[in-house]
Amino acid sequence: MATGMKGLLPLGLLALLGQSSLAQKQYVREQQTWLGVFNQTRFTQHWGTWTDLHVRLHDRYVQDMFQTVARVGLTYYLTDDVRLTGGYAYVHHFPDGARTIGQAEHRPWQQVQWFSKFPKARLMQWVRLEERFRRTIRSNERTDDFDFNYRTRYNAALFLPLNKQGFAPGGLQFLLNNEVMMNFGKEIRYNYFDQNRLFAGLVYQLNPHAQLHGGYMHLFQQLPAGSTYRNQHTIRVFYFHNFDLRPTPPPVPASPSAQ
């Protein structure tokens, strides 16, 4: 009997330690609204540009500014369905919590994006690498220094038609989209996993070159402290538009970009 009790003690101790570890984790619940405009413009057979602009609100979805993003890039078209892009993004983080001043972030980025077409579905995927330079805040004051880390992102978006128009103008589609992000670099100690964004919503095909997306996104993020997590419920509305300025461009439906 004593031998049995000795065997149970380590298991009980591990269980208590596990419960204590879970108890130390903190979860921040957020409600946000994300608004975005995206454009891809193609000038020649191989060259084009990428632009996307974002406004993100939080605190009961719309009460305060949370973040703005302006992203531009130069795209090389390997084919109509495979594209390489490199560019720069400027991100402004508005005051949040104990930080009562804004924080600037400079973000060069590189990406490969590809599309797959099926008889009754469309799939968009990309892999993106970002170099993140965030101005350091100490004692609630900006410094001349920057924190730096890399971040990788994998995004997959599946489009399923819901009416007979399908992917033609007037078509309605169901969109299931997931993106996972990982941090790395010498300044990353705890949050190698950055966040996961899972989105479900509807897409309306406005015309051959424009789409309107709307729906719900759940964002789960590990914050830099390592023991704090953001559990975020988000209303997301995005507008996508393509310009094809080649002399005789083929009619290609608007394709989703990034968030």
Side-chain angles (χ1 to χ4, degrees), residues 11 22 133 138 166 175 180 205 221 249 251:
L11 293 176
L22 288 173
F133 297 85
R138 292 193 180 95
L175 170 59
V180 61
Q205 193 77 40
Q221 181 179 22

Side-chain angles (χ1 to χ4, degrees), residues 22-97:
L22 288 173
Q24 292 173 3
K25 293 182 178 179
Q26 299 180 5
Y27 293 88
V28 178
R29 190 172 184 272
E30 284 267 5
Q31 300 91 27
Q32 295 198 4
T33 298
W34 288 17
L35 307 174
V37 176
F38 299 77
N39 173 263
Q40 292 190 49
T41 297
R42 190 170 182 177
F43 297 101
T44 68
Q45 185 65 22
H46 290 294
W47 292 103
T49 57
W50 172 301
T51 305
D52 61 272
L53 306 171
H54 301 261
V55 173
R56 296 170 181 173
L57 310 171
H58 76 146
D59 193 3
R60 298 184 180 179
Y61 296 104
V62 295
Q63 290 192 1
D64 292 307
M65 293 290 291
F66 178 74
Q67 191 179 73
T68 56
V69 182
R71 185 184 288 112
V72 295
L74 182 66
T75 298
Y76 182 79
Y77 289 75
L78 291 172
T79 68
D80 288 343
D81 295 324
V82 181
R83 308 167 187 181
L84 305 177
T85 304
Y88 165 80
Y90 176 78
V91 183
H92 182 77
H93 304 271
F94 286 84
D96 185 27

